[in-house]
Amino acid sequence: MNIGAVDHVEFYVGDAQQAAFYLCTAFGFRVRGQAGPETGHVDRRSLLLSQGGIDLVLTSALSCEHPAAEYVTRHGDGVANIAFEVTDAAGAFDAAVEQGAAVVEEPEVHRRGGTEVVTAGVSGFGDVAHRFVQRTGDRADFLPGVMEIFAADPEESEQLLHTVDHAAICLPAGELRPTVAYYERVFGFRQIFEEFIEVGDQAMDSKVVQSASGEVTFTLIEPVTDRRPGQIDTFLERHGGAGVQHLALLTDDIVTTVPAMEARGVTFLETPDAYYDELTDRLGRPDLRLEDLRRTNVLVDRDHWGQVFQIFTQSMHVRRTFFWEVIDRHGARTFGSGNIKALYEAVAREKTPA
């Protein structure tokens, strides 16, 4: 199965227009298209948001029969579909179903002019599905015959973010290994990293799986049940099962991007000064200036190939579940134990009550 990059991520949300307003205002996305009653789809409202190489689809149910209605009732707003670029959507679909994936969307061909898009969908983890997307022709025509694409915005937009770097996924205890095996068998992913993380009297187990192309990466996390419940347990309880805890978006200049996003209204988690006081002794000299990291609250870790810089937003979700990460890679390819532990501790620092 030839999986390329993440084609798009679809969120099911209670109010697509309200969610789009926040992402456009705070993160710099632009609304590029829509689907809904105006395009012949009376059961939903979908908005296409884009920035750099990132495409997000926000879908709200206009009918209780649309799957977004049940999803939002159970989980609140969240990631419902992570779509994969493929060279043969129907072939990928057949191969996945043969390996045990459940059918979510039968193969369908969408054509307009010289553009053709073939889609098909199968089950992933929890209530999250994966859509295979095969594109021929003009990529700007996102989904011919379904999505109405707006005229290009004459105003130049600031490109703060470029691609989806990875998704972090919380799984109920006992589901980590079976989920890894599922992604290896069904999608041809491989495990590239694993780590058992202890923070005080809490602990979690994690494994990172990646597509053969190296362009789709999932960090899979499960709680350890013989320790005190922690933020993974809290996510699973509030979300109502397995789900995407955060999406990491790649930038090429994190110490510029973070203040720009803060000026737009994004609130990031704060990092204690002690973290930076001990940073050089722990990791050596960072590629970015220590004073810039301290000023922006950016975390840093390293692996065999280089360094990685990251920061997490406070959750704007009413259940305090989903949040975002901004990440800047300086050669680093994977996730060191310091990164995963930093994520765990960063979320624990957010003390906002539910």
Side-chain angles (χ1 to χ4, degrees):
M1 185 180 299
N2 188 13
I3 292 176
V6 172
D7 184 88
H8 65 276
V9 178
E10 183 172 15
F11 288 76
Y12 283 167
V13 298
D15 188 330
Q17 291 177 316
Q18 185 179 61
F21 179 79
Y22 172 72
L23 287 169
C24 292
T25 302
F27 284 69
F29 284 92
R30 293 294 180 98
V31 178
R32 193 161 67 84
Q34 71 169 352
E38 300 86 354
T39 63
H41 297 83
V42 298
D43 62 342
R44 72 182 187 270
R45 167 83 58 200
S46 292
L47 297 176
L48 171 63
L49 276 59
S50 298
Q51 180 176 181
I54 307 166
D55 285 329
L56 305 179
V57 177
L58 309 179
T59 296
S60 292
L62 300 181
S63 161
C64 59
E65 280 77 36
H66 192 277
E70 182 182 351
Y71 181 102
V72 171
T73 298
R74 182 175 180 186
H75 305 296
D77 294 0
V79 173
N81 200 304
I82 302 175
F84 302 145
E85 292 180 355
V86 294
T87 54
D88 179 0
F93 172 84
D94 289 341
V97 171
E98 185 177 345
Q99 291 299 322
V103 174
V104 175
E105 302 171 9
E106 292 283 353
E108 191 172 357
V109 180
H110 310 272
R111 292 190 183 94
R112 182 160 50 201
T115 300
E116 179 178 282
V117 179
V118 184
T119 61
V122 298
S123 58
F125 53 89
D127 291 340
V128 177
H130 297 301
R131 182 176 295 123
F132 300 117
V133 184
Q134 171 190 340
R135 297 186 180 278
T136 305
D138 184 8
R139 184 185 168 86
D141 197 354
F142 183 78
L143 199 57
V146 175
M147 187 77 68
E148 175 193 2
I149 301 301
F150 302 148
D153 195 327
E155 238 182 84
E156 242 183 81
S157 58
E158 189 177 13
Q159 297 291 313
L160 300 174
L161 306 162
H162 302 297
T163 56
V164 176
D165 184 85
H166 68 272
I169 295 153
C170 293
L171 301 167
E175 292 189 12
L176 179 60
R177 283 162 182 76
T179 302
V180 170
Y182 178 81
Y183 276 86
E184 290 175 337
R185 183 181 76 253
V186 173
F187 300 104
F189 282 35
R190 61 191 178 93
Q191 182 179 317
I192 62 170
F193 184 77
E194 64 180 342
E195 186 72 17
F196 183 85
I197 303 297
E198 296 181 271
V199 182
D201 57 357
Q202 301 175 13
M204 68 175 183
D205 205 359
S206 69
K207 297 179 185 291
V208 179
V209 296
Q210 192 173 76
S211 63
S213 66
E215 296 189 73
V216 181
T217 305
F218 293 161
T219 300
L220 306 171
I221 311 163
E222 73 174 5
V224 175
T225 56
D226 61 357
R227 303 294 182 89
R228 184 170 68 84
Q231 53 99 358
I232 304 301
D233 302 270
T234 301
F235 173 92
L236 293 168
E237 180 182 353
R238 293 178 178 175
H239 180 75
V244 176
Q245 183 199 49
H246 77 265
L247 283 179
L249 306 180
L250 189 69
T251 180
D252 57 11
D253 184 1
I254 196 166
V255 296
T256 298
T257 297
V258 168
M261 292 178 68
E262 286 179 324
R264 291 172 171 264
V266 178
T267 304
F268 292 97
L269 297 184
E270 295 183 359
T271 304
D273 280 340
Y275 174 90
Y276 300 102
D277 295 339
E278 302 161 359
L279 182 59
T280 304
D281 290 339
R282 181 169 64 89
L283 291 177
R285 183 178 177 182
D287 291 349
L288 302 179
R289 296 194 314 164
L290 188 60
E291 52 266 41
D292 288 338
L293 299 177
R294 189 189 298 268
R295 172 177 55 83
T296 56
N297 290 296
V298 168
L299 305 166
V300 59
D301 198 19
R302 67 165 69 246
D303 61 17
H304 296 299
W305 297 276
Q307 298 180 10
V308 60
F309 300 86
Q310 61 182 163
I311 190 169
F312 308 99
T313 70
Q314 286 191 13
S315 177
M316 296 300 292
H317 198 291
V318 67
R319 303 189 189 191
R320 297 294 188 268
T321 48
F322 180 82
F323 58 93
W324 299 88
E325 175 184 352
V326 177
I327 189 167
D328 184 355
R329 293 188 179 276
H330 287 213
R333 301 180 191 174
T334 59
F335 303 84
S337 59
N339 259 1
I340 298 174
K341 187 174 180 181
L343 167 60
Y344 199 93
E345 293 176 333
V347 175
R349 285 197 295 273
E350 188 178 358
K351 302 292 188 181
T352 308

